[in-house]
Amino acid sequence: MIIERVLPTPEAHDLIELTTELADRELAGRVDDFEHRGEFPREVVRTLGRAGLLGLPFAEADGGGGQPYEVYLQVLEVLASRWLAVAEAVSVHTLSCYPVAEYGTSRQRKSLPEMLGGDLLGAYCLSEPQGGSDAAALTTRAVRDGDDLVVSGTKAWITHAAVADFYNVFCRTDGPGRDGVSCLLVPAGTAGVCPQPAERTMGLRSSPVAQVIFDDARVSSDQLVGEAGQGFAIAMSALAAGRLGIAACAVGLAQAALDHAVGHAREREQFGRRIIDLQGLGFMLADMATQVSAARAMTLAAARLRDAGRPYAIESAKAKLFATDVAMRVTVDAVQVLGGYGYVSDNPVERYLREAKVLQIVEGTNQIQRVVISRALARG
């Protein structure tokens, strides 16, 4: 389906065209093979970095693309419509670059060109085995020893575990609660950084997710990002932006499912008619299309608030909640439109359905988004 996009500049139009060309050439024909083998497409991500797609929302002075967030999100949407794991890799990498780009020292920022160019891949280590949603209660600790910090603890559900070149580790450097949390930039080769075997996931099988154990991993104290005790604020600020990335991925996935369902319904005939001309099914597709458009509009509206420098965290939570729920509903309905054909792994809608579920969980479950939104309503 052709999507009518309103983009802010001719450069942005060219960027979407470039992304579409790369996605068709580098992603669409390879996703099934990598998903079947459960292999992370590191070279594909590196290719996107060389094309300038990994640093789009960051400053050009740092090696980024200097693009508005609304443009970056539409690039993510295109990627997700071809291969969700790759789009999620871009989103997670952007999340992982954010602390250094926004809070890093001049020395730390010297690594940004390599990060944003794709030579260095990042991972974001916030969740723990006993605490995902309650981030302020994390227990991974960094203890000062001379000029170093020694990190001990376990992080869970870490995307890019074992393939990342650097980890943003949120750890406790002081007392309990959010004020005791700091952010450390830990190179992957640091002794004591121990990624565990990848989880066997329902979907996104080409995206490695695993625990990472920090066994007295020693890093220099100048690897502290921002001030000591500022880690929780950094994490929440990063997640407000990152949730929009997940929302855009959800829109792209839902659009792919819708397109496939519509294509099937135009060709499939029953009772002497195309099934798209049967009112019950046609109305189902109409609802799917409407939901996808609404999710896209909500996501881009929140991004424009961010681009304008206005508060957007609550609108980000709404967009993430709505778009990922839409992706779940639309992929379920796409399977239904295809009937038995949608239930076999030879058909991509079966994969879309498995992939949609995780989007309701990552970067804050949709229950947490409802908590965020309802608390904002209570505050007035």
Side-chain angles (χ1 to χ4, degrees):
M1 183 181 297
I2 296 174
I3 301 167
E4 295 295 337
R5 299 185 184 275
V6 179
L7 294 162
T9 63
E11 180 186 7
H13 281 276
D14 293 343
L15 184 57
I16 294 298
E17 288 185 3
L18 169 66
T19 303
T20 303
E21 179 185 331
L22 276 171
D24 288 339
R25 186 178 71 237
E26 301 288 342
L27 276 60
R30 306 170 76 177
V31 54
D32 288 337
D33 178 47
F34 276 82
E35 282 290 312
H36 177 72
R37 290 187 285 115
E39 179 182 341
F40 180 65
R42 183 66 179 92
E43 285 306 312
V44 172
V45 175
R46 191 172 278 115
T47 296
L48 298 182
R50 294 186 184 122
L53 300 187
L54 293 189
L56 288 175
F58 297 101
E60 291 179 273
D62 293 324
Q67 290 295 316
Y69 222 71
E70 68 165 308
V71 174
Y72 157 67
L73 294 183
Q74 291 181 79
V75 166
L76 270 187
E77 180 191 330
V78 172
L79 296 175
S81 69
R82 273 63 167 187
W83 190 346
L84 180 62
V86 169
E88 190 218 26
V90 176
S91 182
V92 168
H93 182 68
T94 301
L95 181 72
S96 303
C97 293
Y98 177 91
V100 172
E102 293 295 321
Y103 299 90
T105 64
S106 57
R107 187 193 65 79
Q108 291 166 351
R109 293 171 66 84
K110 289 180 181 179
S111 297
L112 279 172
E114 289 182 284
M115 293 177 178
L116 304 182
D119 291 325
L120 298 178
L121 184 69
Y124 188 84
C125 300
L126 180 61
S127 295
E128 297 186 353
Q130 301 303 319
S133 296
D134 189 4
L138 60 82
T139 60
T140 297
R141 180 168 292 277
V143 177
R144 187 171 290 275
D145 182 15
D147 292 331
D148 295 336
L149 288 164
V150 181
V151 186
S152 300
T154 301
K155 293 297 182 178
W157 312 114
I158 306 306
T159 300
H160 299 160
V163 297
D165 299 294
F166 65 94
Y167 297 92
N168 280 293
V169 183
F170 294 90
C171 51
R172 193 160 299 286
T173 53
D174 207 336
R178 60 183 61 188
D179 292 338
V181 177
S182 299
C183 178
L184 284 177
L185 183 65
V186 179
T190 302
V193 176
C194 308
Q196 301 302 291
E199 305 285 356
R200 298 173 62 186
T201 55
M202 178 189 297
L204 293 179
R205 292 170 180 167
S206 58
S207 176
V209 175
Q211 291 189 356
V212 180
I213 295 174
F214 295 87
D215 183 13
D216 290 339
R218 182 180 293 270
V219 297
S220 171
S221 58
D222 63 10
Q223 294 293 89
L224 183 71
V225 181
E227 302 294 330
Q230 196 179 13
F232 188 83
I234 294 172
M236 294 303 104
S237 178
L239 285 175
R243 283 166 181 160
L244 288 180
I246 296 302
C249 286
V251 172
L253 184 68
Q255 184 69 58
L258 171 64
D259 290 347
H260 202 86
V262 169
H264 176 83
R266 285 174 175 167
E267 295 178 1
R268 178 74 166 166
E269 291 190 1
Q270 293 287 282
F271 309 106
R273 302 169 63 188
R274 300 184 307 170
I275 63 173
I276 199 170
D277 297 320
L278 301 173
Q279 190 178 77
L281 193 139
F283 281 10
M284 179 187 290
L285 292 168
D287 286 343
M288 293 162 66
T290 302
Q291 291 168 36
V292 173
S293 293
R296 179 180 294 113
M298 282 189 70
T299 301
L300 295 181
R304 291 178 187 121
L305 286 175
R306 185 185 191 276
D307 290 333
R310 295 173 60 188
Y312 73 98
I314 303 305
E315 298 307 309
S316 173
K318 292 176 185 176
K320 194 271 182 184
L321 166 63
F322 185 77
T324 58
D325 280 355
V326 163
M328 195 73 244
R329 287 194 299 269
V330 168
T331 54
V332 166
D333 286 348
V335 170
Q336 191 69 19
V337 169
L338 271 73
Y341 294 105
Y343 195 65
V344 296
S345 58
D346 292 337
N347 197 293
V349 297
E350 182 267 348
R351 171 168 55 83
Y352 299 157
L353 174 55
R354 289 187 287 103
E355 291 175 336
K357 187 61 207 174
V358 74
L359 299 176
Q360 294 179 304
I361 298 171
V362 296
E363 310 240 353
T365 66
N366 282 6
Q367 286 68 35
I368 288 297
Q369 306 314 311
R370 290 178 170 92
V371 170
V372 170
I373 297 163
S374 63
R375 285 179 178 172
L377 294 173
R379 290 193 301 268

